[in-house]
């Protein structure tokens, strides 16, 4: 019934298995990829005909995790998987980015890649397995995919590169780098690093590329056994060259002149006018509108790229290394804990930092288990930032991806949670965009956090690099514009400090780039980053000495574990009362650590005193102030230390003989008492007669002093 094909290799100390022919046989390509005990089913389906009226490649990549993969039942009311998590969105992007450039030119058929995690051994992250499985499924599908690709994760532990480190090993790694590419070169890089040098980062990329070559060979060998018949490649019709030549004659000079406009809005308007006129003219001559539109983009690409390679001059007038003018501002919002506006040319990020308590931490329910995140960075890209109208809704994949990139860049510079026990939320609103808004977010986030008083180790900045590569040569571009991103060959983003790189992301639109180009790009990015850090320092060079006066002050105290119950009280009654009366927020951890937060210092101190009163142990010989809470025939009970009561025996009420307790005190009286001991049951014995009720002086100690 089944004709199963399987390929197995040893890779990174574990077995990688690629299997097809058993599951999902109606898909064009389906591969079950297994690494350790992590299993991902990867499928691909392509429509047999191009989608009408579409002038782009309609590729969709969906990565999804099933709770049963880790032996769990989903949380929530419905008990089934819902909207994609951030991890699923980011992994979908990881798969999409390296495979998208490898489909044959002109292929416009709707194509869908679906990767489903079926088993997770909690050691090997499914993302690498999904990338490898998707590559294998595409390679055997017959779809015009010019792969395969390989992928790997690289760590850096004790000065050594580690291939596909297990999740436990990553805790000790100063680098987490994911990369993918062909046997020729690297196509995609995503990383977070602890201020590592450019040399170490480049070495990690080279190490990963060399070590996923066996995966590429395994996929090729699997395809040689079972690949479907290749689909016919899209052919350029005879009218293609004629339309191309005619377009160049009709619009070439006008398009070149339009791109001489250095301002984005004016340039966009002129380019749109030339493009519309060219389409109208050629369609009137009998050429298809879709073909003309496609060729127009090619003409723009040739003009922009050619000018850069020939003259070294870019469309906004800069050379290849100059960074646009920068303006940094901090403290721009009166009530925010920290705020900044970072403007670089026509890109602007309005960034706000908010400090919260442990109650504000995000609870994340992942396959690996539930955990809490105390640093949140959210990136928003409203349509007005590019002078356009558009749908406003929940964040898309781009917003999630750019936010995570900025998160990785800033995260290594944050203080440890134990030293700075705040939950941090940074929101970046992109108010203008013309290239690299994610790197503007990194710069703005650094400034906003420092403005809020978060003690960053050092400021962090980011820069986006581009590439123009032709047979005649190449040019690496610093601080790319939006048009240079669209018409160029590389989007290479580097973030870091004066000490090293904290994050690196690279996407290549051609088949590969050489190590030489990467080395030049990293060196040029370092120069640009240091320049940007210098410009940021004009607004704020280091974190403020204290947190904002609008932010809560968090005080950390520790109590014995056996006292936690008393502070919380039955059903949380005690801690609720403390919060309601004082206005402070209180977080209690299992080890007895208590964090008291309040904007008003007096409210925080009141809550701390209350808690200390609850957990304090009475000391013999010490005088306390208390309240009479109950009267009995034999004495009065006085609440004198937190929730603790003690007994003042009738004989200890006054220096003279007392007939009835009510002759001396009544319920509600505030009295001064001295702790004189404990009874056999551990109950506290108190005395009023040993204390001057007016002054609080210890009369027994005064008598002893007088006797001496």
């Amino acid at each position: 019934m089944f004709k199963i094909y399987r390929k197995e290799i040893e890779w990174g100390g574990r077995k990688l298995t690629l299997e097809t022919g058993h599951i999902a046989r109606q898909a064009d390509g389906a591969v079950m990829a297994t690494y350790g005990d992590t299993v991902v089913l990867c499928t691909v389906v392509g429509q047999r005909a191009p989608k009408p009226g579409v002038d782009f490649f309609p590729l969709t990549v969906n990565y999804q995790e099933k709770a049963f993969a880790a032996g769990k039942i989903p949380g929530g009311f419905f008990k089934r998987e819902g909207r994609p998590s951030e991890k699923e969105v980011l992994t979908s992007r990881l798969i999409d980015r390296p495979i998208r450039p490898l489909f044959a030119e002109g292929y416009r058929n709707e194509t869908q890649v679906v990767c489903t995690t079926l088993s997770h051994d909690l050691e090997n992250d499914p993302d690498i397995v999904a990338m490898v499985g998707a590559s294998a499924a595409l390679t055997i599908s017959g779809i015009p995919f010019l792969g395969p690709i390989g992928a790997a994760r690289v760590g850096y532990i004790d000065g050594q590169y580690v291939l596909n480190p297990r999740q436990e090993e990553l805790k000790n790694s100063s680098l987490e780098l994911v990369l993918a590419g062909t046997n020729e070169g690297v196509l995609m890089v995503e990383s977070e690093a602890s201020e590592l040098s450019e040399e170490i980062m480049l070495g990690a990329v080279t190490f990963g590329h060399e070590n996923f070559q066996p995966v590429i060979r395994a996929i090729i060998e699997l395809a040689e056994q079972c690949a479907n018949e290749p689909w016919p490649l899209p052919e350029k019709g005879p009218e293609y060259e004629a339309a191309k030549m005619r377009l160049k004659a009709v619009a070439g000079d006008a398009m070149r002149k339009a791109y001489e406009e250095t301002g984005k809005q004016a340039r966009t308007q002129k380019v749109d006018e030339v493009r519309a006129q060219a389409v109208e003219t050629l369609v009137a001559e009998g050429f298809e509108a879709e073909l003309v539109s496609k060729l127009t983009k090619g003409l723009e690409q040739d003009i922009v790229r050619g000018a850069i390679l020939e003259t070294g001059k870019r469309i906004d007038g800069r050379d290849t290394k100059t960074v646009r003018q920068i303006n940094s501002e901090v403290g721009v919002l009166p009530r925010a804990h920290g705020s900044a506006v970072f403007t670089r040319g026509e890109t602007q990020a309005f960034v706000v930092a908010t400090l919260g308590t442990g109650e504000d931490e995000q609870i994340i329910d992942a396959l690996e288990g539930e955990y809490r995140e105390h640093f949140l960075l959210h990136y928003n890209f409203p349509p007005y930032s590019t002078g356009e109208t558009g749908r406003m809704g929940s964040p898309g994949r781009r917003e999630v991806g750019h936010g995570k990139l900025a998160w990785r860049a800033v995260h290594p510079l944050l203080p440890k949670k134990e030293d700075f026990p705040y939950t941090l939320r940074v929101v970046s609103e992109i108010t203008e965009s013309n290239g690299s808004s994610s790197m503007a977010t990194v710069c703005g986030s650094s400034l906003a956090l420092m403005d809020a008083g978060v003690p960053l180790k050092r400021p962090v900045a980011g820069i986006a690099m581009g590439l123009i590569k032709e047979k005649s040569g190449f040019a690496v571009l610093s601080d790319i514009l939006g048009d240079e991103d669209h018409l160029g060959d590389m989007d290479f983003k580097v973030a870091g400090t004066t000490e090293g790189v904290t994050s690196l992301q690279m996407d290549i639109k051609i088949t590969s780039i050489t190590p030489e180009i990467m080395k030049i790009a990293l060196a040029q990015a370092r120069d640009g980053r240091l320049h940007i850090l210098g410009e940021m320092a004009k607004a704020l060079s280091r974190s403020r000495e204290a947190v904002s006066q609008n932010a809560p002050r968090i005080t950390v105290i520790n109590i014995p574990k056996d006292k936690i119950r008393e502070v919380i009280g039955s059903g949380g009654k005690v801690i609720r009362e403390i919060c309601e009366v004082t206005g402070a927020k209180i977080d209690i951890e299992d080890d007895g650590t208590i964090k008291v937060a309040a904007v008003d210092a007096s409210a925080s101190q009141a809550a701390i005193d209350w808690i200390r009163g609850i957990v304090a142990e009475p000391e013999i010989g010490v005088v306390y102030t208390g309240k009479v809470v109950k009267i009995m025939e034999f004495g009065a009970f006085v609440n004198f230390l937190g929730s603790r009561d003690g007994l003042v025996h009738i004989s200890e009420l006054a220096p003279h003989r007392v007939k009835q307790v009510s002759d001396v005190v009544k319920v509600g009286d505030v009295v001064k008492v001295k702790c004189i001991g404990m009874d056999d049951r551990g109950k506290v014995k108190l005395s009023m007669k040993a204390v001057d009720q007016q002054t609080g002086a210890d009369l027994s100690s005064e008598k002893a002093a007088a006797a001496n």
Side-chain angles (χ1 to χ4, degrees):
M1 182 176 182
F2 301 111
K3 192 172 184 179
I4 299 173
Y5 299 91
R6 183 182 291 110
K7 183 66 183 177
E8 294 181 355
I9 61 169
E10 284 293 323
W11 186 44
R14 280 143 284 173
K15 183 185 292 184
L16 173 67
T17 304
L18 303 174
E19 178 185 288
T20 188
H22 183 202
I23 306 295
R25 292 173 296 161
Q26 295 188 46
D28 291 316
V31 170
M32 190 83 80
T34 303
Y35 193 50
D37 284 337
T38 294
V39 182
V40 182
L41 172 64
C42 303
T43 65
V44 57
V45 174
Q47 294 294 336
R48 294 292 166 171
K51 194 169 184 178
V54 171
D55 62 350
F56 62 92
F57 174 34
L59 171 67
T60 304
V61 177
N62 294 100
Y63 168 82
Q64 53 187 1
E65 294 180 336
K66 299 299 181 181
F68 60 71
K72 297 174 63 177
I73 294 174
F77 183 78
F78 294 104
K79 297 300 175 186
R80 68 176 298 164
E81 291 80 5
R83 59 177 295 178
S85 65
E86 182 179 273
K87 169 68 182 296
E88 290 171 311
V89 170
L90 294 172
T91 304
S92 297
R93 284 171 53 85
L94 281 180
I95 300 167
D96 184 304
R97 286 156 51 196
I99 65 174
R100 187 175 288 272
L102 295 180
F103 288 87
E105 183 183 358
Y107 178 66
R108 294 289 184 269
N109 301 32
E110 188 169 2
T111 303
Q112 185 175 42
V113 176
V114 179
C115 299
T116 307
T117 297
L118 303 178
S119 176
H120 189 356
D121 60 11
L122 307 183
E123 287 188 347
N124 300 291
D125 198 307
D127 55 4
I128 297 297
V129 188
M131 295 168 76
V132 170
S135 171
L138 283 164
T139 303
I140 68 173
S141 68
I143 290 172
F145 172 69
L146 309 180
I149 65 163
R153 175 174 272 102
V154 178
Y156 191 67
I157 304 173
D158 298 329
Q160 300 292 323
Y161 296 117
V162 179
L163 177 65
N164 295 335
R166 292 174 171 84
Q167 293 190 351
E168 193 64 30
E169 294 176 296
L170 278 174
K171 296 177 181 178
N172 302 315
S173 179
S174 56
L175 169 69
E176 182 178 1
L177 182 143
V178 173
L179 76 162
T182 64
N183 55 6
E184 296 178 3
V186 176
L187 289 167
M188 184 276 297
V189 177
E190 186 84 43
S191 65
E192 178 183 343
S194 299
E195 296 183 285
L196 298 179
S197 69
E198 283 76 7
E199 291 74 19
I200 292 175
M201 298 298 291
L202 183 58
V205 174
T206 303
F207 175 83
H209 181 251
E210 291 173 351
N211 279 276
F212 65 55
Q213 296 306 311
V215 175
I216 292 177
R217 290 194 291 271
I219 293 173
I220 292 173
E221 290 171 9
L222 178 68
E224 288 172 347
Q225 300 176 44
C226 60
N228 296 329
E229 286 297 317
W231 294 17
L233 292 174
E235 294 183 1
K236 297 175 181 177
E239 74 280 4
Y240 181 87
E241 287 299 329
K244 185 176 181 180
M245 296 297 293
R246 183 66 182 135
L247 177 65
K248 187 174 182 180
V250 169
D253 292 340
M255 188 69 77
R256 190 172 288 104
K257 189 171 182 60
Y259 270 106
E260 291 176 357
E261 175 61 56
T262 57
K264 179 189 175 184
Q265 296 294 337
R267 182 174 62 249
T268 300
Q269 182 178 348
K270 289 182 179 180
V271 169
D272 287 345
E273 290 172 357
V274 174
R275 187 185 297 131
Q277 183 61 47
V279 171
E280 182 181 345
T281 300
L282 268 70
V283 168
E285 294 178 6
F287 294 102
E288 293 183 3
E290 186 178 333
L291 173 61
V292 177
S293 178
K294 177 184 175 183
L295 290 174
T296 303
K297 292 180 181 178
L299 176 63
E300 293 176 45
Q301 193 173 40
D302 291 342
I303 290 171
V304 173
R305 296 162 65 93
I308 292 173
L309 291 176
E310 291 169 14
T311 68
K313 187 176 180 181
R314 297 154 68 176
I315 55 180
D316 64 350
R318 287 181 294 151
D319 61 25
T320 58
K321 295 183 179 180
T322 300
V323 177
R324 288 170 288 175
Q325 184 177 355
I326 291 172
N327 182 66
S328 301
E329 305 164 71
V330 295
V332 293
L333 295 178
R335 298 292 296 175
H337 299 165
S339 57
V341 176
F342 179 83
T343 309
R344 186 190 59 245
E346 295 168 303
T347 296
Q348 185 179 76
F350 197 120
V351 188
V352 182
T354 306
L355 277 58
T357 67
E359 292 180 0
D360 300 310
E361 290 181 339
Q362 184 176 12
I363 301 173
I364 299 175
D365 185 16
L367 286 185
E368 297 84 359
E370 185 177 284
Y371 66 95
R372 290 175 174 265
E373 181 56 67
H374 79 287
F375 174 46
L376 314 172
L377 197 154
H378 298 144
Y379 166 101
N380 297 310
F381 192 85
Y384 66 76
S385 64
T386 55
E388 299 172 326
T389 59
R391 184 184 66 86
M392 298 283 287
S394 57
R397 289 187 176 188
R398 183 179 183 277
E399 283 80 3
V400 173
H402 279 32
K404 190 63 176 181
L405 173 59
W407 184 96
R408 291 191 179 103
V410 176
H411 183 247
L413 284 310
L414 294 177
K416 292 182 179 179
K417 185 179 177 182
E418 302 80 50
D419 301 328
F420 193 74
Y422 286 91
T423 296
L424 308 174
R425 184 188 184 221
V426 175
V427 178
S428 175
E429 297 287 338
I430 302 303
T431 48
E432 294 181 32
S433 179
N434 185 14
S436 191
S437 56
S438 62
M439 294 297 95
T441 293
V442 172
C443 301
S445 297
S446 176
L447 290 168
L449 287 167
M450 292 192 298
D451 184 49
V454 179
L456 296 185
K457 294 178 186 176
R458 275 170 288 279
V460 57
I463 186 171
M465 312 297 293
L467 173 69
I468 304 295
K469 184 173 182 283
E470 298 287 355
K471 292 179 180 179
S472 58
F474 68 88
V476 175
L477 312 178
S478 294
D479 181 24
I480 57 174
L481 302 171
D483 287 338
E484 291 171 338
D485 185 7
H486 300 320
L487 303 176
D489 297 321
M490 176 179 76
D491 185 7
F492 189 75
K493 297 170 182 173
V494 187
T497 67
T498 55
E499 303 301 310
V501 176
T502 58
S503 183
L504 187 153
Q505 184 187 82
M506 182 179 73
D507 290 302
I508 303 298
K509 302 171 188 176
I510 53 180
T511 54
S512 65
I513 63 170
T514 64
E516 176 196 4
I517 293 175
M518 283 193 66
K519 187 174 182 180
I520 292 172
L522 281 167
Q524 202 165 308
R526 185 177 188 277
D527 293 340
R529 183 174 81 244
L530 294 178
H531 168 73
I532 294 170
L533 285 168
E535 294 298 306
M536 290 166 55
K538 294 177 181 179
L540 191 62
S541 60
R542 55 179 297 178
S543 298
R544 301 199 187 278
E545 294 298 326
V547 298
S548 164
Q549 62 180 4
N550 297 321
R553 264 61 172 182
I554 296 181
T555 305
V556 180
I557 62 174
N558 291 281
I559 65 171
K561 289 183 181 180
D562 58 0
K563 297 290 184 179
I564 294 176
R565 199 173 192 179
E566 295 179 33
V567 175
I568 295 174
S570 177
K573 178 181 178 181
V574 175
I575 195 169
R576 277 200 306 273
E577 183 182 5
I578 298 173
C579 293
E580 289 170 3
V581 172
T582 65
K585 287 185 177 181
I586 300 172
D587 294 327
I588 302 180
E589 298 179 8
D590 293 340
D591 63 354
T593 300
I594 296 182
K595 298 173 185 175
V596 180
V599 176
D600 185 354
S602 61
S604 178
Q605 192 59 50
I608 292 169
D609 292 343
W610 195 326
I611 293 169
R612 284 178 172 159
I614 293 173
V615 302
E617 292 292 338
E619 298 181 40
I620 295 175
V622 175
V623 175
Y624 299 93
T625 298
K627 180 185 290 187
V628 178
V629 293
K630 191 175 183 180
I631 291 178
M632 305 292 287
E633 290 183 4
F634 51 82
F637 284 98
V638 176
N639 175 236
F640 72 101
L641 189 60
S643 60
R644 187 181 291 273
D645 296 342
L647 173 66
V648 180
H649 191 268
I650 191 170
S651 63
E652 294 291 337
L653 285 172
H656 55 269
R657 187 174 185 276
V658 177
K659 291 183 178 180
Q660 291 186 5
V661 175
S662 58
D663 292 342
V664 180
V665 293
K666 61 181 182 295
V667 174
D669 284 352
V670 175
V671 297
K672 293 178 173 58
V673 293
K674 178 181 178 180
C675 178
I676 57 175
M678 306 281 181
D679 65 16
D680 296 339
R681 296 177 296 171
K683 302 295 184 182
V684 181
K685 296 190 292 183
L686 302 173
S687 172
M688 285 177 57
K689 72 179 184 180
V691 184
D692 186 322
Q693 294 299 310
Q694 297 297 322
T695 65
D698 185 347
L699 298 177
S700 57
S701 62
E702 290 182 0
K703 289 180 181 178
N708 292 331

